[in-house]
Amino acid sequence: MKQGLLTITMAALLSGCGLDGDQEASDVSSQAGSAETGVRVTGTAMKGVIQDGLVTANRLLADADGRYQLDRFAAKPVRTGQDGHYQLKLRGNASGWALVELRADTATRMICDVVPRCDQPGTAGVAFGEPLTLASDFVLRGAGDLARETVYLTPLAHLAVALAEREPTGLSPAALASAYQSVEAWFGLAPGALLLAPPDLTRLDELSDVSADALQVAITNAAFLALVNDSSQWSSIAEVLADMAAQVAADGRIDIMGSGTNLALADLVAAAALQAAELQQVVDSSLISQKLVVVEYRNVQRFKTIADVYTVPDTGVELVDSVDTTETPAGTGTEPAPGTGDTSADSADSQTDTTVTAETDGTTTTGDLPATDSTTETFVPADAALLSWTAPLTRENGESLSMGEIAGFEVVYGTSADTLDQSLAIGDASVDQLLVDQLSPGTWYFAIRTLDTDGNRSRLSEVVNKQITL
């Protein structure tokens, strides 16, 4: 059984060096006369992880006409490390923006981040997590404010640079910032998601903490290579990236549903949804698996949005009625104040009163499971139930309850309201949604309790149910 949850975005900046200490010191001294006159630029090259890629950088300077061009003084090239990290230094101070570029040569390798393998012409394919060669025409670009000193090189960043180049001012800070936001919007990513450190999808079980937003970015980047597997038209990731960058440069966008020749935005979103599902089969961490379900769900929704815009009758996505939520006030007093839930799926409806409670030192906290609004359509898989709730803010005795006192939640469920024999513990107070999928046909019942930091558990909320019909 796989479940999904939503978490608050947490950005983590990673820095590293692709060279050993002696060579790095040599490169730095050759690029700038002293540490005082240079600015460090660091980041990660990630499609999968790109190893031994050649990275260089230039400042972006405005000419007399106000158009931004590359400074003629480029940083001396460095190679990315085995984890994709690079570090170099530019002359001058930490003001303005820089363009960073990676190119492949015969030494460059990329770790396959597509499940179950990365297809390559004339070979049996490269298994997930194993290195593959890159063609010499493979290029990744990214740009960033030197005050942040961090620039991530990914396919999505590459498209943002191509989009910014269309502006009359060239690669100006305003054009680049706007282009990054536009690319995020194309793929349904959270604002600022392209500035998050991209995780290595082949080592997810080793990560102690990664947000669903960062996973969504990484999986979207992986989808570029997944498209090579899915079509005989493309033989390499370089061809896929070149096709999309050319579309952006010419039209300021990617074809939404495809022209029969070019790749489509819908192709990428569908591939990302599939990769999120495939990754759930290869990770051991239940927390990572839950976040992958969230990413899969987001991409399915994004695909449906794309299809609706162009009124395509057959999207390849099975649609069911929606479950959406609105918040109701938390209860007060010694007994919980019930809320009303209206859950719809297919043609089956149910009406139940639901409440979330938590106890601390003999006192009880309350909060309502919010009422659902069946007039707002949100699409979930046919074999899934999307649960939503509101964390309690007060105790039943009227005392306030802070988020810091909540350790998490426990969702229990089963095929009988009297036998909720399956459960999931959520160790994050910020989580307020859970997608439970792969449910067999029939009526499923769900309830939730709150867990506090002292180890106390509340009474279960009242039970809600959903009819699953496949």
Side-chain angles (χ1 to χ4, degrees):
M1 186 70 64
K2 299 185 288 298
Q3 297 86 9
L5 50 83
L6 298 179
T7 58
I8 294 174
T9 303
M10 294 176 285
L13 300 180
L14 302 180
S15 62
C17 174
L19 302 175
D20 59 45
D22 291 338
Q23 185 170 350
E24 178 188 25
S26 174
D27 287 342
V28 169
S29 63
S30 66
Q31 295 170 50
S34 66
E36 290 76 13
T37 59
V39 56
R40 185 183 67 167
V41 181
T42 186
T44 309
M46 185 71 72
K47 199 339 264 116
V49 172
I50 299 175
Q51 302 172 337
D52 287 316
L54 285 167
V55 180
T56 190
N58 293 79
R59 285 180 178 275
L60 294 166
L61 302 177
D63 60 21
D65 297 324
R67 182 175 178 82
Y68 279 76
Q69 307 283 354
L70 296 181
D71 182 11
R72 64 189 181 90
F73 294 107
K76 184 177 180 180
V78 298
R79 287 194 180 273
T80 55
Q82 293 303 292
D83 55 1
H85 289 184
Y86 72 88
Q87 180 175 294
L88 46 74
K89 183 164 283 192
L90 280 171
R91 296 167 49 136
N93 57 28
S95 63
W97 283 54
L99 179 73
V100 184
E101 181 178 274
L102 176 143
R103 289 187 176 273
D105 66 6
T106 56
T108 308
R109 298 291 183 271
M110 181 176 71
I111 302 301
C112 172
D113 60 348
V114 173
V115 181
R117 68 183 185 279
C118 296
D119 290 340
Q120 287 196 302
T123 71
V126 175
F128 177 72
E130 295 298 319
L132 56 87
T133 58
L134 286 172
S136 59
D137 58 348
F138 180 83
V139 179
L140 277 185
R141 297 188 295 171
D145 189 339
L146 288 172
R148 294 186 72 247
E149 298 185 348
T150 306
V151 178
Y152 298 115
L153 304 175
T154 67
L156 294 178
H158 187 82
L159 295 184
V161 172
L163 181 60
E165 285 180 320
R166 291 173 46 85
E167 296 299 318
T169 56
L171 295 176
S172 68
L176 285 163
S178 176
Y180 268 69
Q181 292 169 5
S182 295
V183 172
E184 289 167 348
W186 291 349
F187 292 94
L189 301 171
L194 294 187
L195 302 182
L196 300 177
D200 180 356
L201 295 178
T202 68
R203 304 179 68 177
L204 290 179
D205 284 324
E206 299 176 23
L207 301 180
S208 59
D209 188 22
V210 62
S211 69
D213 289 331
L215 278 174
Q216 187 177 359
V217 173
I219 289 170
T220 303
N221 286 315
F224 284 74
L225 185 54
L227 293 180
V228 179
N229 290 4
D230 296 336
S231 174
S232 60
Q233 182 179 358
W234 314 103
S235 61
S236 71
I237 177 63
E239 291 182 1
V240 169
L241 195 55
D243 175 83
M244 293 190 172
Q247 290 184 53
V248 171
D251 304 322
R253 56 174 248 175
I254 303 172
D255 285 345
I256 299 296
M257 297 304 294
S259 63
T261 301
N262 291 330
L263 284 161
L265 180 61
D267 295 334
L268 270 171
V269 174
L274 179 60
Q275 280 303 300
E278 295 284 358
L279 282 166
Q280 294 165 42
Q281 309 304 317
V282 299
V283 299
D284 295 326
S285 167
S286 60
L287 182 59
I288 295 295
S289 181
Q290 294 155 22
K291 293 180 181 181
L292 289 170
V293 173
V294 172
V295 174
E296 179 186 1
Y297 173 68
R298 288 178 181 177
N299 279 290
V300 169
Q301 284 193 303
R302 185 60 178 158
F303 186 92
K304 177 59 175 62
T305 301
I306 293 170
D308 278 348
V309 170
Y310 284 79
T311 61
V312 176
D314 183 9
T315 65
V317 178
E318 184 175 2
L319 306 180
V320 298
D321 290 342
S322 63
V323 178
D324 195 9
T325 63
T326 57
E327 185 173 339
T328 57
T332 58
T334 58
E335 292 297 330
T340 300
D342 180 9
T343 304
S344 62
D346 299 327
S347 59
D349 295 333
S350 63
Q351 294 282 344
T352 57
D353 289 339
T354 57
T355 305
V356 180
T357 63
E359 293 182 353
T360 305
D361 296 330
T363 62
T364 304
T365 66
T366 76
D368 292 340
L369 191 71
T372 63
D373 179 5
S374 61
T375 63
T376 302
E377 290 197 353
T378 302
F379 295 96
V380 299
D383 65 346
L386 179 63
L387 310 177
S388 299
W389 60 89
T390 301
L393 301 177
T394 59
R395 305 182 186 281
E396 286 190 355
N397 61 10
E399 295 179 0
S400 63
L401 177 72
S402 70
M403 290 293 286
E405 295 176 281
I406 299 175
F409 307 96
E410 182 184 20
V411 172
V412 295
Y413 56 100
T415 54
S416 167
D418 297 324
T419 309
L420 303 176
D421 54 359
Q422 301 185 54
S423 67
L424 172 69
I426 303 169
D428 188 339
S430 67
V431 173
D432 61 3
Q433 283 193 335
L434 180 71
L435 184 72
V436 184
D437 71 347
Q438 292 192 354
L439 299 174
S440 59
T443 302
W444 285 82
Y445 299 83
F446 306 86
I448 187 171
R449 61 163 51 97
T450 305
L451 313 174
D452 76 0
T453 53
D454 292 327
N456 297 309
R457 304 164 67 197
S458 76
R459 291 176 285 131
L460 283 174
S461 70
E462 294 192 28
V463 178
V464 296
N465 65 75
K466 180 175 181 180
Q467 181 73 29
I468 301 296
T469 56
L470 302 179

